[in-house]
Amino acid sequence: MAEDPTLARAPTRPEGVPPVLDEAHIGDIRGALGTIAMHDSGERHGWRSRAMALLAIMGPGLIVMVGDNDAGGVSTYAQAGQNYGTSLLWVLLLLIPVLIVNQEMVIRLGAVTGVGHARLINERFGRFWGWFSVGDLFILNFLTIVTEFIGVSLALSYFGVSRYVAVPIAAAALVAITSTGSFRSWERFMYVFVVANFLVIPLLLQAHPKFSDIVQHTFSPGIKGGASSTAVLLIIAIVGTTVAPWQLFFQQSNIIDKRITPRWINYERLDTVIGAFVVVVGAGALMAVTAFAFGGTADFRHFSDAGTVANELDHNLGSLAGAFFAIVLLNASMIGAAAVTLATSYAFGDVFGAKHSLNRGPLDAKAFYASFTLMVIAAAGIVLIPRAPLGLITTSVQALAGVLLPSATVFLLLLCNDREVLGPWSNPTWLNAIASVIIGILVELSLILMASTMFPKIDVTKLFGYLSLALAAALVAMGVYVLRNRTQAPSEQEDIRKMPREQRNAWTMPPLALLERPAWSPGRKAAMLMLRGYLVLAVLLLIVKTVQIGH
């Protein structure tokens, strides 16, 4: 019998590589800025050696973070600055630990399991929960991709390019960039977008910012003009565009696709931390640009959409500022569309068991590239519909992401406490405590949105205070419960986490078929059903609020 040529090409699986990976996900790490051999297990000594390793590993964390400053992000940050000055900068500062904590858990899941986020949810929680979560992702991601092409249209309209020309060309470029069959080539294209993101710095300087105001409002919470339901909706939109559910799916699969194993987790962590600061600095700069450019002018508090912002900057600061903003918007739209669409195609491959890797060509992974192309075409087509409420759609999608984020974070937390999945890499107690606080705050923001929608005249400030007290009490009660149920002797979980570093780096998740399904207590089932019910209600009320604002 002739030998299968695919198996003949497959590299030998080294220690520390998850057994579930196929041949496209095994091999050298070939990043945009360097290469690490698959069998390289040597220690890095000295700054130069470590820096070279970091450059080779860097990419998934930086790209997922900069991808957050997408078209919806640019629009939302510009609206925050134009309508509320720099008073909402503190929201971005609070989001740094949220970004790092969430994505650090994703790093471990990707490197240790070799399995995408969608497949893990499906396998560990059953088809119902898996399809529910992935269904949320598909709907939200598709709407997000629509906003990216809205951004392309608005950006190029500043230069006089018709959207009927701009959008199809952008769609074709995205498909071409993604279909090279080389992860390294794709990542290099993404780095071009990452570098272009820094154009926001000279744009900020043109707005003549008062850095004392920036520092004050970064560290001193407040809302210019007072709290209102509209301001709360915008804050939730900022949360939704900066900490989005698609990030979890994208980075986990991108780490697998880049062939990063537990041996390199610390480097990927640093990649993600750098990305978190880059995205927050960029978001803050955009907010400050419109705050200082429009403060004291007739345009203040009159945000329309990102395209109008470019024209207003042209009027207030000059044509160079308008052009810079339009380029920043175009760049953000392209990297956002590339990352969000790819996250969806990765999830599609996870759910349907199709080949899904940028290391495969279009003919070798037909379903993967077909899903990417069809989604791009469909989203681009919607944007070409005349008289669509572009600014309102963009803000609403970001708010929807903020509402859906708690459920995505809950599943992330459960997976990172699954000993069958992560073994010695599972969450320590202190990280579970921080993640629980983050989930509580996200739910609190959604509750405020619901209450302000149902009762428009409600005192949002008092409501926030009451809910914060309730959240603090719930977290304290949870902490007391956990402490009381811990025994004096170290638990099995703590024992396995004390595994020597060499063994830890070599530990990977066993094949999924050999894992026992986690047991669900009645309390956990009830809590998950309540969360899902709450999310359905929150989304419906968000739609109502969006319609109210639209009128």
Side-chain angles (χ1 to χ4, degrees), residues 95-384:
L95 290 177
I96 292 178
V98 178
L99 286 166
I100 294 174
V101 168
N102 278 357
Q103 297 307 124
E104 191 280 332
M105 289 191 280
V106 168
I107 291 169
R108 284 180 282 125
L109 282 174
V112 175
T113 69
V115 174
H117 204 68
R119 186 180 173 192
L120 272 182
I121 293 175
N122 199 57
E123 293 286 344
R124 301 306 288 165
F125 302 107
R127 289 185 178 275
F128 172 79
W129 295 105
W131 280 98
F132 201 108
S133 295
V134 173
D136 287 350
L137 177 80
F138 282 177
I139 294 171
L140 178 59
N141 280 10
F142 180 73
L143 293 175
T144 303
I145 298 163
V146 171
T147 69
E148 309 303 357
F149 283 110
I150 291 173
V152 169
S153 172
L154 294 175
L156 290 179
S157 68
Y158 176 82
F159 299 104
V161 180
S162 167
R163 63 175 171 175
Y164 296 102
V165 175
V167 172
I169 290 177
L174 283 172
V175 173
I177 287 170
T178 309
S179 304
T180 62
S182 165
F183 185 96
R184 169 174 280 177
S185 296
W186 172 85
E187 192 170 72
R188 284 176 173 168
F189 278 115
M190 294 301 103
Y191 265 98
V192 172
F193 295 131
V194 168
V195 172
N197 178 70
F198 287 97
L199 280 175
V200 70
I201 302 302
L203 175 60
L204 174 61
L205 295 179
Q206 293 178 65
H208 307 293
K210 296 180 181 177
F211 289 101
S212 59
D213 288 355
I214 292 176
V215 172
Q216 177 186 349
H217 291 135
T218 298
F219 297 98
S220 177
I223 301 175
K224 189 178 182 67
S228 65
S229 59
T230 303
V232 171
L233 179 62
L234 182 58
I235 290 173
I236 294 175
I238 293 172
V239 175
T241 194
T242 311
V243 188
W246 69 263
Q247 294 176 275
L248 311 180
F249 294 81
F250 173 84
Q251 190 172 4
Q252 186 164 331
S253 292
N254 206 236
I255 284 171
I256 296 166
D257 215 1
K258 192 166 183 177
R259 302 165 178 169
I260 295 172
T261 61
R263 165 75 177 82
W264 308 105
I265 278 180
N266 284 338
Y267 289 92
E268 181 54 27
R269 283 169 170 159
L270 183 54
D271 172 32
T272 302
V273 170
I274 292 171
F277 280 93
V278 168
V279 70
V280 167
V281 169
L286 281 168
M287 201 179 291
V289 165
T290 53
F292 292 109
F294 302 134
T297 72
D299 295 321
F300 189 69
R301 288 193 177 277
H302 291 92
F303 174 84
S304 176
D305 58 53
T308 304
V309 169
N311 290 316
E312 291 170 345
L313 286 174
D314 186 321
H315 175 74
N316 286 282
L317 300 180
S319 59
L320 185 60
F324 269 30
F325 184 85
I327 293 172
V328 167
L329 176 60
L330 175 63
N331 178 73
S333 304
M334 293 296 288
I335 191 171
V340 177
T341 311
L342 187 57
T344 314
S345 296
Y346 277 141
F348 177 89
D350 277 338
V351 171
F352 294 102
K355 295 177 180 178
H356 52 294
S357 172
L358 292 171
N359 290 307
R360 295 182 183 275
L363 296 179
D364 193 22
K366 297 182 180 67
F368 174 64
Y369 288 104
S371 65
F372 185 96
T373 303
L374 289 174
M375 189 164 289
V376 167
I377 292 174
I382 289 177
V383 176
L384 299 180

